[in-house]
Amino acid sequence: MQESKIKVQTKVPLRGLSTFKIGGDASHLFMLENKKDLKDAVAYAKENDLPIFVLGGGSNILFADSGISAFVIQVLNKGKEYKKIDDLHVLVTAEAGETWDDFVKWTIENHFFGLENLSSIPGTVGASPVQNIGAYGVEVKDLIESVEVFNIQTSEYKTLTNTECAFGYRNSFFKTEEGKNLIVVSVTFTLSLVPNINISYKDLSNHFKDIVPTPFEVRDAVIEIRKGKFPDLNIHGTAGSFFKNIICNESDIAKLKADYPLMPVYKAGSGFVKISTAFVLDKVCGLKGFRIGNVGLYENQSLVVVNYADATSTDVREFISKIKSIVEQKTGIRIEEEVILA
Ligand SMILES: Cc1cc2nc3c(=O)[nH]c(=O)nc-3n(C[C@H](O)[C@H](O)[C@H](O)COP(=O)(O)OP(=O)(O)OC[C@H]3O[C@@H](n4cnc5c(N)ncnc54)[C@H](O)[C@@H]3O)c2cc1C
């Protein structure tokens, strides 16, 4: 190993860096507190012939029991700034290592509105464009102006426009082979200086009935509703929704729709429809609360796979294969993971 300008730890247990509380060791870990250290970090990985793995809050990853032999850069750089652009809009930039929900809270407290429906999602600002995080009728792509990145191959900074990020449902340019060379350094959002309430999502409209809430009330309601949908991360391990909702051709689900007329079906553009994977798991496959040993589907939200106590990555992977094969046998549909398997 070369003499290094940065502080690199070796053999670091990943289970402590993942909300699933699962995983072997990272062979190398660097905690990036300041983006100016990125060049040295990437140079270190190259000099020591180590692949780079970018980590945020570890809330969307299932690490292998064998860990990873890589130079893990945990992105922790913090900072926020804003610039009002007219009477109605403000550009807000947050560094990638900001905790997502602390950032959302700060925007609302400063009367910069738009992110309230995305309250209480674990993880970092830097990961938010990678998955195009979404909840309660809002996706982060609707608010992102641009994303500043560092290219691992060229060691250069660049700013991508919203269009260049090629956002899709839990998808973006950052998940492509080319995009995997990019480390998100900061994200700029266009937020509103006046409330722009969106409570069209059923859980929120039911919560507020005929009342038009303030953004502060929307945030509180989202936090409250989510408490019932996810296990307490202080007690159990999870990475949130393990599976994506199903997007397929309308014709592929004709029989399913006929057998389950109450199944909600949403238009997803150009002949495609989106159906709730939770509905399929619960009502079609009868898997509500299904559990094998220490791994199970969360009673209150079947998309959520829970590590109830000391489950291994292998336990979770076997459980997931079982679920996928039951769904495929019953419906002919292959469901896809939302969580990254590392
Ligand atoms: C209880 C719970 C509830 C959840 N609810 C939701 C929800 O409602 N909606 C939703 O969309 N998601 C949800 N998630 C998933 C998760 O919170 C998001 O995907 C979040 O954005 C992950 O952030 P993170 O910092 O933990 O990323 P990580 O898990 O650390 O990384 C996720 C991916 O992003 C990459 N990455 C991370 N940081 C960077 C960076 N700076 N630059 C480049 N790549 C990077 C990683 O390499 C990895 O591929 C939930 C998770 C949990 C545990």
Side-chain angles (χ1 to χ4, degrees), residues 20 22 62 237-238 240-243 281 286-299 301-308 311-327 335 337 341:
F20 237 132
I22 288 176
L62 175 64
T238 182
S241 299
F242 204 96
F243 303 105
L281 293 172
L287 288 170
K288 195 170 174 54
F290 182 67
R291 187 167 166 168
I292 302 177
N294 286 328
V295 187
L297 300 180
Y298 194 50
E299 270 294 327
Q301 167 54 282
S302 289
L303 288 186
V304 176
V305 172
V306 185
N307 164 14
Y308 282 104
T312 63
S313 196
T314 309
D315 294 338
V316 177
R317 282 163 207 248
E318 285 175 3
F319 180 81
I320 294 313
S321 314
K322 175 101 189 153
I323 298 283
K324 287 173 77 170
S325 100
I326 293 172
V327 172
I335 54 171
E337 290 89 3
L341 303 177

Side-chain angles (χ1 to χ4, degrees), residues 19 53-61 75 96 121-124 126-128 130-131 133-135 170 182-184 226 230 233 238-240 338 340:
T19 57
F53 184 92
V54 187
L55 178 67
S59 64
N60 202 35
I61 300 179
V75 178
I121 297 180
T124 56
S128 66
V130 177
Q131 280 287 86
I133 57 170
R170 298 295 177 274
L182 305 178
I183 300 178
V184 175
R226 290 180 65 98
F230 297 98
L233 287 177
T238 182
E338 179 170 325
I340 314 273

Side-chain angles (χ1 to χ4, degrees), residues 120-142:
S120 197
I121 297 180
T124 56
V125 166
S128 66
V130 177
Q131 280 287 86
N132 178 24
I133 57 170
Y136 300 96
V138 174
E139 286 183 317
V140 78
K141 73 168 171 58
D142 306 333

Side-chain angles (χ1 to χ4, degrees), residues 4-54:
S4 148
K5 292 181 192 160
I6 54 169
K7 191 172 165 241
V8 179
Q9 301 174 57
T10 53
K11 292 201 182 136
V12 181
L14 286 162
R15 57 179 297 154
L17 301 175
S18 129
T19 57
F20 237 132
K21 306 182 204 294
I22 288 176
D25 291 351
S27 63
H28 299 76
L29 174 81
F30 172 60
M31 293 170 140
L32 178 83
E33 308 270 358
N34 193 323
K35 69 177 179 184
K36 74 173 173 43
D37 292 331
L38 255 181
K39 280 197 175 166
D40 287 336
V42 170
Y44 178 97
K46 284 182 183 167
E47 278 157 22
N48 292 287
D49 213 11
L50 292 163
I52 290 175
F53 184 92
V54 187

Side-chain angles (χ1 to χ4, degrees), residues 76-301:
L76 297 167
N77 57 310
K78 295 209 169 21
K80 306 181 276 292
E81 56 184 44
Y82 64 89
K83 189 170 142 204
K84 293 191 179 166
I85 44 178
D86 57 35
D87 289 348
L88 296 177
H89 301 101
V90 58
L91 283 177
V92 183
T93 301
E95 292 204 30
E98 285 285 340
T99 299
W100 174 258
D101 193 51
D102 291 350
F103 170 64
V104 172
K105 180 166 182 272
W106 175 87
T107 59
I108 301 169
E109 281 169 358
N110 281 280
H111 293 237
F112 305 151
F113 303 123
L115 295 174
E116 45 281 357
N117 294 41
L118 301 177
S119 292
S120 197
I121 297 180
T124 56
V125 166
S128 66
V130 177
Q131 280 287 86
N132 178 24
I133 57 170
Y136 300 96
V138 174
E139 286 183 317
V140 78
K141 73 168 171 58
D142 306 333
L143 288 314
I144 287 181
E145 179 67 26
S146 60
V147 178
E148 184 194 11
V149 295
F150 180 83
N151 187 317
I152 292 169
Q153 280 191 329
T154 62
S155 284
E156 281 169 356
Y157 287 93
K158 192 182 168 188
T159 298
L160 302 187
T161 62
N162 181 302
T163 311
E164 286 171 321
C165 294
F167 291 118
Y169 169 58
R170 298 295 177 274
N171 208 354
S172 70
F173 176 68
F174 305 102
K175 293 178 93 170
T176 63
E177 275 317 301
E178 203 184 334
K180 282 182 188 160
N181 289 315
L182 305 178
I183 300 178
V184 175
V185 173
S186 70
V187 184
T188 298
F189 303 83
T190 304
L191 300 181
S192 175
L193 293 168
V194 291
N196 192 1
I197 301 298
N198 174 354
I199 51 164
S200 54
Y201 201 86
K202 202 171 92 204
D203 286 348
L204 283 176
S205 52
N206 285 348
H207 182 93
F208 288 110
K209 301 204 168 62
D210 296 330
I211 301 161
V212 179
T214 66
F216 301 91
E217 289 166 334
V218 173
R219 174 172 164 79
D220 289 346
V222 168
I223 292 172
E224 200 48 44
I225 293 166
R226 290 180 65 98
K227 275 190 192 146
K229 303 246 169 176
F230 297 98
D232 182 345
L233 287 177
N234 294 314
I235 302 172
H236 297 308
T238 182
S241 299
F242 204 96
F243 303 105
K244 293 183 184 179
N245 281 315
I246 297 160
I247 304 215
C248 57
N249 279 312
E250 205 155 1
S251 54
D252 294 341
I253 54 147
K255 178 157 187 322
L256 203 57
K257 183 69 192 150
D259 291 347
Y260 298 90
L262 292 181
M263 180 175 75
V265 179
Y266 307 95
K267 296 265 173 233
S270 49
F272 286 96
V273 288
K274 179 156 128 183
I275 57 173
S276 153
T277 302
F279 183 95
V280 171
L281 293 172
D282 285 355
K283 304 281 195 293
V284 180
C285 300
L287 288 170
K288 195 170 174 54
F290 182 67
R291 187 167 166 168
I292 302 177
N294 286 328
V295 187
L297 300 180
Y298 194 50
E299 270 294 327
N300 300 352
Q301 167 54 282

